[in-house]
Amino acid sequence: MENGYVILGIIALLFMSMYGYAYFSVLKEKLRAKKNQDLKAEKEAMRLEQRKKNQELIDERVRKFNERKEEIHRELMLLEKMKEKQRVS
């Protein structure tokens, strides 16, 4: 009778180890998928941050260009006024 319990325990241990092995591979695949998903999310965040930085640089350049354009326009208007004053004189 004791040998029956030993054999039954060994068979239960065998089935538990088979279940554990099958579950371990599934768990390992889920962890790998989660890691890949986290890496993709991190790459996406880095890409968005880089895009934001690039957009800020572009905005700064456009602002400087517009300021310079306005300054040139004002200078030209002053030159035209001076030219008109010289003609009138």
Side-chain angles (χ1 to χ4, degrees):
M1 193 70 168
E2 287 184 28
N3 289 339
Y5 289 128
V6 172
I7 292 173
L8 191 59
I10 291 172
I11 291 174
L13 186 61
L14 174 70
F15 280 108
M16 285 176 39
S17 63
M18 286 174 24
Y19 175 76
Y21 180 75
Y23 183 73
F24 178 72
S25 63
V26 170
L27 180 66
K28 191 175 179 182
E29 187 64 35
K30 284 182 181 179
L31 290 175
R32 189 177 298 138
K34 175 76 170 158
K35 185 177 179 181
N36 286 341
Q37 185 180 10
D38 291 345
L39 286 174
K40 283 182 183 179
E42 186 177 331
K43 284 181 183 179
E44 182 69 20
M46 288 175 59
R47 187 180 65 82
L48 289 176
E49 182 148 342
Q50 187 64 33
R51 181 178 278 182
K52 187 184 244 186
K53 286 180 184 178
N54 288 343
Q55 187 62 43
E56 288 174 2
L57 288 173
I58 290 170
D59 291 344
E60 181 68 21
R61 289 178 185 160
V62 167
R63 185 185 61 78
K64 285 181 181 179
F65 174 78
N66 286 336
E67 286 177 358
R68 180 68 180 144
K69 186 171 84 171
E70 286 295 320
E71 184 181 335
I72 291 171
H73 183 68
R74 277 185 263 130
E75 292 291 328
L76 286 174
M77 294 299 285
L78 285 173
L79 286 174
E80 285 183 23
K81 285 182 183 178
M82 289 176 65
K83 190 176 178 182
E84 282 294 319
K85 283 184 180 179
Q86 285 181 355
R87 270 194 222 163
V88 171
S89 300

